[in-house]
């Protein structure tokens, strides 16, 4: 009952109720008055910047920047962004903002330049996109509206029944379920039948009901998220191959934040910033695209041929020929050729030193 009140009164069932200027419920800050409402989403996103700064400071001081930085992002920063079911109220601008934060943090974690593709950082870091996190949160609430009968879901259902897809939130849910390919759930939204009675009235069979369970919907979100990620990697043959070769979206054993791991990530995304690569080629004139030794600065020249780095690759090349013969060296750096653990460490250490 403490706090400031507004000069607004309501009559509810014979009782006089005054409206508070500000209240907090389940971690969500509510502002009273005609211009009020829920504004915790923007506030949380703004506060995330200071949390990111603290996470970076702790990771640097730890001595294992990559490991601590990644765990801090997953356990501390993501939970802060998602706090109080904030994703339920995100609009596209908020989601793009936090997605940008994740990409920038990934670059810092891997020590990469801005020319590196976001899709490569996303894939090799082994974390979900905020589109997936947002959809999973909203899908979980939609399942509650469909199956449960608590106060919160009754309010959500009442909005849909009263104004339908004139509600921007429910309209977005309808489009989201269409993108996921769950036509049955999409029809329930568009036709305003989001209840157990609506499911019976529409004659939905048992198999289709199973597809609307939260576990199945979350699996579908991951599948669509994977397809969206692969669409970003259709630029050329190498990026398309990387999208196909990449198995489960998880952190791979080689990823340790060292220079060699960064080279592999950039090579897989075809964005190693050598002067002949299209990702940075536009920065240099025709006469500026040469290595210090005078040859054209391509990734193959820098890593495998340049005489300036010959000493750094001698042992690696010898071991590679003993184990893999005349197989293309690029396959080794990309990690698509299976080699012994010793050779794997040696080649990443060598290319890391060359790139540094």
């Amino acid at each position: 009952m403490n706090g400031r009140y507004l000069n607004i009164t309501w009559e509810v069932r014979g009782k006089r109720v005054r409206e508070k200027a500000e209240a907090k419920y389940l971690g969500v800050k509510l502002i009273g008055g005609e211009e009020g409402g829920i504004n915790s989403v923007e506030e949380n996103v703004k506060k995330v910047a200071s949390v990111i700064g603290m996470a970076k400071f702790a990771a640097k001081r730890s001595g294992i920047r990559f490991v601590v930085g990644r765990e801090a992002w997953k356990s501390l920063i993501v939970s802060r962004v998602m706090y109080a079911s904030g994703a339920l109220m995100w609009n596209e601008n908020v989601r793009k903002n936090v997605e940008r934060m994740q990409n920038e943090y990934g670059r810092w974690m891997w020590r990469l330049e801005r020319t590196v593709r976001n899709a490569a950082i996303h894939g090799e870091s082994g974390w979900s996109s905020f589109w997936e996190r947002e959809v999973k949160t909203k899908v979980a609430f939609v399942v509650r509206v469909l199956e449960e009968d608590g106060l919160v879901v009754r309010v959500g259902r009442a909005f849909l029944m009263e104004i339908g897809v004139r509600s921007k939130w429910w309209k977005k849910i309808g489009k989201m379920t269409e993108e996921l390919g769950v036509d049955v759930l999409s029809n329930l939204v568009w036709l305003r039948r989001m209840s157990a009675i609506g499911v019976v009235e529409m004659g939905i069979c048992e198999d289709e009901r199973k597809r609307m369970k939260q576990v199945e919907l979350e699996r579908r979100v991951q599948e669509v998220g994977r397809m969206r990620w692969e669409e970003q990697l259709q630029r050329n043959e190498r990026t398309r191959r990387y999208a196909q070769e990449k198995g489960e979206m998880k952190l791979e054993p080689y990823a340790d934040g060292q220079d060699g791991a960064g080279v592999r990530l950039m090579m897989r995304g075809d964005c190693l910033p050598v002067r002949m690569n299209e990702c940075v080629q536009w920065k240099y004139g025709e006469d500026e695209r040469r290595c210090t030794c005078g040859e054209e600065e391509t990734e193959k020249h820098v890593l495998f041929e340049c005489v300036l780095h010959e000493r750094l690759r001698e042992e690696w090349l010898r071991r590679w020929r003993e184990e893999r013969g005349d197989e293309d060296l690029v396959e080794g750096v990309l990690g698509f050729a299976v080699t012994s653990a010793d050779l794997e460490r040696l080649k990443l250490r060598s290319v890391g030193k060359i790139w540094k």
Side-chain angles (χ1 to χ4, degrees), residues 64-287:
I64 43 175
R65 165 176 164 158
F66 183 84
V67 176
V68 174
R70 183 173 180 273
E71 289 304 313
W73 177 263
K74 290 176 62 182
S75 59
L76 182 64
I77 300 169
V78 171
S79 62
R80 178 69 189 182
V81 173
M82 306 293 289
Y83 177 63
S85 298
L88 279 176
M89 299 169 284
W90 282 356
N91 56 37
E92 191 170 357
N93 290 333
V94 173
R95 179 176 56 77
K96 285 182 177 179
N97 190 20
V98 292
E99 205 80 73
R100 177 187 56 77
M101 287 181 179
Q102 178 163 273
N103 291 331
E104 289 180 354
Y105 189 89
R107 284 190 174 83
W108 171 85
M109 195 173 70
W110 286 89
R111 297 182 172 93
L112 301 175
E113 298 180 18
R114 296 186 64 83
T115 52
V116 179
R117 289 190 172 90
N118 292 332
I121 297 172
H122 174 191
E124 296 303 278
S125 299
W127 49 36
S128 301
S129 67
F130 276 99
W131 178 87
E132 293 174 70
R133 295 184 178 111
E134 178 193 14
V135 175
K136 285 181 180 179
T137 302
K138 290 181 174 175
V139 160
F141 183 75
V142 170
V143 171
R144 287 181 61 196
V145 171
L146 186 62
E147 297 179 348
E148 299 179 12
D149 198 40
L151 177 60
V152 175
V153 298
R154 282 161 61 190
V155 171
R157 188 183 302 125
F159 263 99
L160 178 63
M161 299 299 289
E162 184 68 25
I163 64 176
V165 291
R166 283 181 295 168
S167 161
K168 292 181 180 179
W169 194 89
W170 277 108
K171 186 175 183 180
K172 186 173 182 178
I173 291 297
K175 292 180 178 179
M176 191 177 290
T177 50
E178 284 182 352
E179 186 174 1
L180 293 177
V182 188
D183 297 334
V184 178
L185 190 57
S186 177
N187 290 335
L188 287 172
V189 174
W190 294 119
L191 298 175
R192 293 191 279 182
R193 295 290 189 272
M194 286 294 294
S195 65
I197 296 174
V199 171
V200 174
E201 288 177 347
M202 292 186 65
I204 297 175
C205 67
E206 187 61 31
D207 288 342
E208 290 176 328
R209 292 186 189 187
K210 288 179 180 178
R211 291 186 64 201
M212 294 190 293
K213 295 293 183 182
Q214 186 172 339
V215 174
E216 286 297 313
L217 289 172
E218 288 186 353
R219 183 183 59 79
R220 181 59 185 160
V221 170
Q222 290 178 333
E223 290 176 355
V224 175
R226 171 67 185 239
M227 289 189 288
R228 288 167 64 98
W229 175 74
E230 289 181 356
E231 285 174 4
Q232 300 175 51
L233 292 166
Q234 300 303 307
R235 190 169 187 86
N236 55 44
E237 184 179 349
R238 179 179 292 177
T239 56
R240 286 192 292 270
R241 183 188 176 195
Y242 166 51
Q244 293 172 354
E245 294 277 354
K246 178 69 175 177
E248 193 177 345
M249 297 291 283
K250 64 180 182 180
L251 188 71
E252 296 194 23
Y254 83 86
D256 56 6
Q258 299 301 317
D259 293 316
V263 171
R264 174 169 290 178
L265 182 151
M266 291 185 285
M267 288 275 284
R268 287 184 169 186
D270 193 32
C271 46
L272 190 71
V274 291
R275 298 189 179 197
M276 289 299 292
N277 192 312
E278 60 178 9
C279 68
V280 294
Q281 193 178 43
W282 55 274
K283 293 183 180 180
Y284 306 101
E286 291 289 340
D287 56 342

Side-chain angles (χ1 to χ4, degrees), residues 295-309:
E295 299 292 330
E296 285 190 340
E297 191 178 273
T298 63
E299 61 182 29
K300 188 170 272 191
H301 168 75
V302 171
L303 297 179
F304 313 130
E305 299 170 355
C306 183
V307 294
L308 300 177
H309 313 303

